[in-house]
Amino acid sequence: MSVVKSIELVLPKDAIYLAGSSIKGKMILTLNSTLVDPIVKVELVGRGYIEWSEEAGASRDYSRNVICNNKADYVHKTKTFPVEDNWLSAGRHTFDFRFNLPPRLPSTFSSKFGPCLLFLQASCMGREHILAKKEDVLMGSRNSNPLLVEAEEKVSYNCCRQGTICLQIQMEKNTFTPGEKVVFTTEINNQTSKCIKTVIFALYAHVQYEGFTPGAERRSRLDSSELLRQEANTHMTRFNTTKIVSTFNLPALLSVSSSTRDGEIMHTRYELVITVHLPWSLTSLKAKVPIIITSASVDSAGCQSSEDGVLRVSPDHQN
């Protein structure tokens, strides 16, 4: 029978840890018998790894696939617990721990190119042998002025007729936190003799991965995905202006927006795209609004923030 009966980590349920915040928890070790000279510790590890293949030499007579990859270690801290008299009796033992996250820590993610993980690892050793190990993966994440974006398109229809469509998007701010509500107003000025029926609102995430070939050549790969989508089917009459007020809730877990920095393996940006479909002119009008996701404290719309910077997600707002 093993000396260690069980080992577990106790942490706040569904917590999202922000860069610069603290992780508080307990390690519970239950022994079947006395353990002499134990080493009991908890480690905090944050690391990322990405990999993809791409074609090299496509413009030449021959080409080949090369593997591009990159990795980064963001944090590695260890808490070794003191053991009185260098022995532990049979039964249950509780150890408290706390780690401070670095102020520059990327959001955790998992994609087809690889993961960026933040995890805790608890272990118990005796006489140079690991007797038990437990690992828990954590979720980690990273006041603005009003914003006005305009777009205009001259369109032709019915062979020889022309008109103008003006699109205007207004937001009180374009900086948000995960789980926050986004509200914006779309104004469409239709100076044509045709009606407009469909407007699409979509939020996109654009993630650029940075890697290296075996020959140390720097390469990048862009991956875009649609996070949210709404469709407004409103009869917008000719030579008239229509206003649409839209609202959607951001997912509770999002990578924070980031700019290109040396040594980073990925960078994320978001944009809200409003598309006015004009089937009678075989064209469409688009306006793109940059959206910034930060790790600042959020309100009670989807998460509850605490003084230690941990966001606790309510069940109604989980993905």
Side-chain angles (χ1 to χ4, degrees), residues 102-121:
R104 280 191 58 191
L105 185 71
S107 302
T108 55
F109 69 90
S110 180
S111 73
K112 59 186 177 183
F113 301 114
C116 180
L117 301 176
L118 180 68
F119 59 92
L120 288 170
Q121 181 173 274

PDB file of all heavy atoms in Angstrom, residues 102-121:
ATOM      1  N   PRO A 102       3.356  37.429 -12.534  1.00  0.00           N
ATOM      2  CA  PRO A 102       4.083  38.581 -13.083  1.00  0.00           C
ATOM      3  C   PRO A 102       3.126  39.545 -13.768  1.00  0.00           C
ATOM      4  O   PRO A 102       2.065  39.140 -14.270  1.00  0.00           O
ATOM      5  CB  PRO A 102       5.069  37.947 -14.071  1.00  0.00           C
ATOM      6  CG  PRO A 102       4.488  36.612 -14.396  1.00  0.00           C
ATOM      7  CD  PRO A 102       3.744  36.165 -13.181  1.00  0.00           C
ATOM      8  N   PRO A 103       3.483  40.841 -13.828  1.00  0.00           N
ATOM      9  CA  PRO A 103       2.591  41.839 -14.448  1.00  0.00           C
ATOM     10  C   PRO A 103       2.433  41.650 -15.952  1.00  0.00           C
ATOM     11  O   PRO A 103       1.427  42.058 -16.522  1.00  0.00           O
ATOM     12  CB  PRO A 103       3.269  43.173 -14.125  1.00  0.00           C
ATOM     13  CG  PRO A 103       4.699  42.826 -13.873  1.00  0.00           C
ATOM     14  CD  PRO A 103       4.695  41.455 -13.271  1.00  0.00           C
ATOM     15  N   ARG A 104       3.414  41.033 -16.604  1.00  0.00           N
ATOM     16  CA  ARG A 104       3.311  40.754 -18.038  1.00  0.00           C
ATOM     17  C   ARG A 104       3.167  39.256 -18.225  1.00  0.00           C
ATOM     18  O   ARG A 104       4.139  38.505 -18.215  1.00  0.00           O
ATOM     19  CB  ARG A 104       4.540  41.269 -18.783  1.00  0.00           C
ATOM     20  CG  ARG A 104       4.534  42.752 -19.066  1.00  0.00           C
ATOM     21  CD  ARG A 104       5.654  43.111 -20.020  1.00  0.00           C
ATOM     22  NE  ARG A 104       5.542  42.386 -21.276  1.00  0.00           N
ATOM     23  CZ  ARG A 104       6.502  42.361 -22.201  1.00  0.00           C
ATOM     24  NH1 ARG A 104       7.634  42.997 -21.995  1.00  0.00           N
ATOM     25  NH2 ARG A 104       6.346  41.686 -23.323  1.00  0.00           N
ATOM     26  N   LEU A 105       1.926  38.835 -18.363  1.00  0.00           N
ATOM     27  CA  LEU A 105       1.630  37.419 -18.521  1.00  0.00           C
ATOM     28  C   LEU A 105       0.577  37.279 -19.616  1.00  0.00           C
ATOM     29  O   LEU A 105      -0.476  37.908 -19.540  1.00  0.00           O
ATOM     30  CB  LEU A 105       1.103  36.836 -17.205  1.00  0.00           C
ATOM     31  CG  LEU A 105       0.859  35.333 -17.164  1.00  0.00           C
ATOM     32  CD1 LEU A 105       2.193  34.591 -17.176  1.00  0.00           C
ATOM     33  CD2 LEU A 105       0.066  34.962 -15.917  1.00  0.00           C
ATOM     34  N   PRO A 106       0.822  36.475 -20.655  1.00  0.00           N
ATOM     35  CA  PRO A 106      -0.180  36.345 -21.724  1.00  0.00           C
ATOM     36  C   PRO A 106      -1.388  35.562 -21.249  1.00  0.00           C
ATOM     37  O   PRO A 106      -1.331  34.822 -20.261  1.00  0.00           O
ATOM     38  CB  PRO A 106       0.589  35.580 -22.809  1.00  0.00           C
ATOM     39  CG  PRO A 106       1.596  34.791 -22.057  1.00  0.00           C
ATOM     40  CD  PRO A 106       2.013  35.649 -20.894  1.00  0.00           C
ATOM     41  N   SER A 107      -2.487  35.716 -21.945  1.00  0.00           N
ATOM     42  CA  SER A 107      -3.675  34.935 -21.648  1.00  0.00           C
ATOM     43  C   SER A 107      -3.440  33.476 -22.036  1.00  0.00           C
ATOM     44  O   SER A 107      -2.738  33.179 -22.992  1.00  0.00           O
ATOM     45  CB  SER A 107      -4.882  35.479 -22.410  1.00  0.00           C
ATOM     46  OG  SER A 107      -5.114  36.830 -22.084  1.00  0.00           O
ATOM     47  N   THR A 108      -4.031  32.581 -21.279  1.00  0.00           N
ATOM     48  CA  THR A 108      -3.959  31.176 -21.647  1.00  0.00           C
ATOM     49  C   THR A 108      -4.825  30.930 -22.878  1.00  0.00           C
ATOM     50  O   THR A 108      -5.851  31.573 -23.062  1.00  0.00           O
ATOM     51  CB  THR A 108      -4.430  30.284 -20.489  1.00  0.00           C
ATOM     52  OG1 THR A 108      -5.749  30.692 -20.088  1.00  0.00           O
ATOM     53  CG2 THR A 108      -3.500  30.409 -19.297  1.00  0.00           C
ATOM     54  N   PHE A 109      -4.391  30.017 -23.725  1.00  0.00           N
ATOM     55  CA  PHE A 109      -5.167  29.691 -24.915  1.00  0.00           C
ATOM     56  C   PHE A 109      -4.808  28.283 -25.373  1.00  0.00           C
ATOM     57  O   PHE A 109      -3.781  27.721 -24.988  1.00  0.00           O
ATOM     58  CB  PHE A 109      -4.916  30.693 -26.049  1.00  0.00           C
ATOM     59  CG  PHE A 109      -3.526  30.610 -26.645  1.00  0.00           C
ATOM     60  CD1 PHE A 109      -3.255  29.769 -27.713  1.00  0.00           C
ATOM     61  CD2 PHE A 109      -2.492  31.376 -26.137  1.00  0.00           C
ATOM     62  CE1 PHE A 109      -1.983  29.686 -28.260  1.00  0.00           C
ATOM     63  CE2 PHE A 109      -1.211  31.306 -26.672  1.00  0.00           C
ATOM     64  CZ  PHE A 109      -0.963  30.461 -27.734  1.00  0.00           C
ATOM     65  N   SER A 110      -5.674  27.738 -26.188  1.00  0.00           N
ATOM     66  CA  SER A 110      -5.414  26.457 -26.843  1.00  0.00           C
ATOM     67  C   SER A 110      -5.951  26.559 -28.261  1.00  0.00           C
ATOM     68  O   SER A 110      -7.106  26.900 -28.464  1.00  0.00           O
ATOM     69  CB  SER A 110      -6.098  25.309 -26.088  1.00  0.00           C
ATOM     70  OG  SER A 110      -5.836  24.078 -26.723  1.00  0.00           O
ATOM     71  N   SER A 111      -5.105  26.332 -29.238  1.00  0.00           N
ATOM     72  CA  SER A 111      -5.499  26.460 -30.632  1.00  0.00           C
ATOM     73  C   SER A 111      -4.916  25.317 -31.439  1.00  0.00           C
ATOM     74  O   SER A 111      -4.192  24.464 -30.902  1.00  0.00           O
ATOM     75  CB  SER A 111      -5.021  27.799 -31.201  1.00  0.00           C
ATOM     76  OG  SER A 111      -3.609  27.780 -31.399  1.00  0.00           O
ATOM     77  N   LYS A 112      -5.206  25.311 -32.736  1.00  0.00           N
ATOM     78  CA  LYS A 112      -4.679  24.246 -33.599  1.00  0.00           C
ATOM     79  C   LYS A 112      -3.174  24.358 -33.785  1.00  0.00           C
ATOM     80  O   LYS A 112      -2.536  23.423 -34.280  1.00  0.00           O
ATOM     81  CB  LYS A 112      -5.376  24.287 -34.958  1.00  0.00           C
ATOM     82  CG  LYS A 112      -5.213  25.604 -35.705  1.00  0.00           C
ATOM     83  CD  LYS A 112      -6.062  25.599 -36.968  1.00  0.00           C
ATOM     84  CE  LYS A 112      -5.979  26.930 -37.702  1.00  0.00           C
ATOM     85  NZ  LYS A 112      -6.855  26.963 -38.895  1.00  0.00           N
ATOM     86  N   PHE A 113      -2.592  25.498 -33.372  1.00  0.00           N
ATOM     87  CA  PHE A 113      -1.147  25.671 -33.483  1.00  0.00           C
ATOM     88  C   PHE A 113      -0.420  25.344 -32.187  1.00  0.00           C
ATOM     89  O   PHE A 113       0.798  25.270 -32.169  1.00  0.00           O
ATOM     90  CB  PHE A 113      -0.814  27.098 -33.914  1.00  0.00           C
ATOM     91  CG  PHE A 113      -1.424  27.479 -35.231  1.00  0.00           C
ATOM     92  CD1 PHE A 113      -2.392  28.465 -35.305  1.00  0.00           C
ATOM     93  CD2 PHE A 113      -1.058  26.836 -36.387  1.00  0.00           C
ATOM     94  CE1 PHE A 113      -2.963  28.807 -36.508  1.00  0.00           C
ATOM     95  CE2 PHE A 113      -1.621  27.167 -37.614  1.00  0.00           C
ATOM     96  CZ  PHE A 113      -2.579  28.155 -37.669  1.00  0.00           C
ATOM     97  N   GLY A 114      -1.161  25.185 -31.079  1.00  0.00           N
ATOM     98  CA  GLY A 114      -0.525  24.855 -29.818  1.00  0.00           C
ATOM     99  C   GLY A 114      -1.147  25.603 -28.659  1.00  0.00           C
ATOM    100  O   GLY A 114      -2.017  26.458 -28.850  1.00  0.00           O
ATOM    101  N   PRO A 115      -0.707  25.298 -27.430  1.00  0.00           N
ATOM    102  CA  PRO A 115      -1.293  25.932 -26.243  1.00  0.00           C
ATOM    103  C   PRO A 115      -0.350  26.911 -25.555  1.00  0.00           C
ATOM    104  O   PRO A 115       0.865  26.899 -25.762  1.00  0.00           O
ATOM    105  CB  PRO A 115      -1.535  24.719 -25.329  1.00  0.00           C
ATOM    106  CG  PRO A 115      -0.332  23.853 -25.601  1.00  0.00           C
ATOM    107  CD  PRO A 115       0.047  24.080 -27.058  1.00  0.00           C
ATOM    108  N   CYS A 116      -0.943  27.753 -24.737  1.00  0.00           N
ATOM    109  CA  CYS A 116      -0.224  28.534 -23.729  1.00  0.00           C
ATOM    110  C   CYS A 116      -0.922  28.226 -22.412  1.00  0.00           C
ATOM    111  O   CYS A 116      -2.109  28.531 -22.247  1.00  0.00           O
ATOM    112  CB  CYS A 116      -0.264  30.020 -24.044  1.00  0.00           C
ATOM    113  SG  CYS A 116       0.629  31.040 -22.821  1.00  0.00           S
ATOM    114  N   LEU A 117      -0.213  27.590 -21.485  1.00  0.00           N
ATOM    115  CA  LEU A 117      -0.834  27.055 -20.277  1.00  0.00           C
ATOM    116  C   LEU A 117      -0.273  27.698 -19.021  1.00  0.00           C
ATOM    117  O   LEU A 117       0.891  28.089 -18.952  1.00  0.00           O
ATOM    118  CB  LEU A 117      -0.614  25.538 -20.198  1.00  0.00           C
ATOM    119  CG  LEU A 117      -1.163  24.697 -21.358  1.00  0.00           C
ATOM    120  CD1 LEU A 117      -0.768  23.243 -21.173  1.00  0.00           C
ATOM    121  CD2 LEU A 117      -2.667  24.840 -21.456  1.00  0.00           C
ATOM    122  N   LEU A 118      -1.138  27.797 -18.032  1.00  0.00           N
ATOM    123  CA  LEU A 118      -0.770  28.205 -16.686  1.00  0.00           C
ATOM    124  C   LEU A 118      -1.301  27.121 -15.763  1.00  0.00           C
ATOM    125  O   LEU A 118      -2.504  26.839 -15.755  1.00  0.00           O
ATOM    126  CB  LEU A 118      -1.398  29.567 -16.352  1.00  0.00           C
ATOM    127  CG  LEU A 118      -1.098  30.138 -14.961  1.00  0.00           C
ATOM    128  CD1 LEU A 118       0.373  30.510 -14.836  1.00  0.00           C
ATOM    129  CD2 LEU A 118      -1.974  31.366 -14.688  1.00  0.00           C
ATOM    130  N   PHE A 119      -0.407  26.477 -14.981  1.00  0.00           N
ATOM    131  CA  PHE A 119      -0.882  25.378 -14.154  1.00  0.00           C
ATOM    132  C   PHE A 119      -0.105  25.297 -12.839  1.00  0.00           C
ATOM    133  O   PHE A 119       1.016  25.802 -12.717  1.00  0.00           O
ATOM    134  CB  PHE A 119      -0.802  24.040 -14.902  1.00  0.00           C
ATOM    135  CG  PHE A 119       0.577  23.638 -15.363  1.00  0.00           C
ATOM    136  CD1 PHE A 119       1.391  22.847 -14.565  1.00  0.00           C
ATOM    137  CD2 PHE A 119       1.047  24.031 -16.601  1.00  0.00           C
ATOM    138  CE1 PHE A 119       2.648  22.469 -14.982  1.00  0.00           C
ATOM    139  CE2 PHE A 119       2.311  23.651 -17.035  1.00  0.00           C
ATOM    140  CZ  PHE A 119       3.111  22.874 -16.220  1.00  0.00           C
ATOM    141  N   LEU A 120      -0.751  24.662 -11.865  1.00  0.00           N
ATOM    142  CA  LEU A 120      -0.149  24.362 -10.569  1.00  0.00           C
ATOM    143  C   LEU A 120       0.135  22.874 -10.502  1.00  0.00           C
ATOM    144  O   LEU A 120      -0.664  22.051 -10.960  1.00  0.00           O
ATOM    145  CB  LEU A 120      -1.090  24.753  -9.420  1.00  0.00           C
ATOM    146  CG  LEU A 120      -1.269  26.244  -9.151  1.00  0.00           C
ATOM    147  CD1 LEU A 120      -2.413  26.455  -8.171  1.00  0.00           C
ATOM    148  CD2 LEU A 120       0.006  26.872  -8.605  1.00  0.00           C
ATOM    149  N   GLN A 121       1.266  22.536  -9.904  1.00  0.00           N
ATOM    150  CA  GLN A 121       1.636  21.136  -9.762  1.00  0.00           C
ATOM    151  C   GLN A 121       2.065  20.872  -8.324  1.00  0.00           C
ATOM    152  O   GLN A 121       3.029  21.462  -7.836  1.00  0.00           O
ATOM    153  CB  GLN A 121       2.772  20.786 -10.726  1.00  0.00           C
ATOM    154  CG  GLN A 121       3.208  19.332 -10.682  1.00  0.00           C
ATOM    155  CD  GLN A 121       4.215  19.017 -11.765  1.00  0.00           C
ATOM    156  OE1 GLN A 121       3.875  18.708 -12.897  1.00  0.00           O
ATOM    157  NE2 GLN A 121       5.487  19.115 -11.416  1.00  0.00           N
TER     158      GLN A 121
END
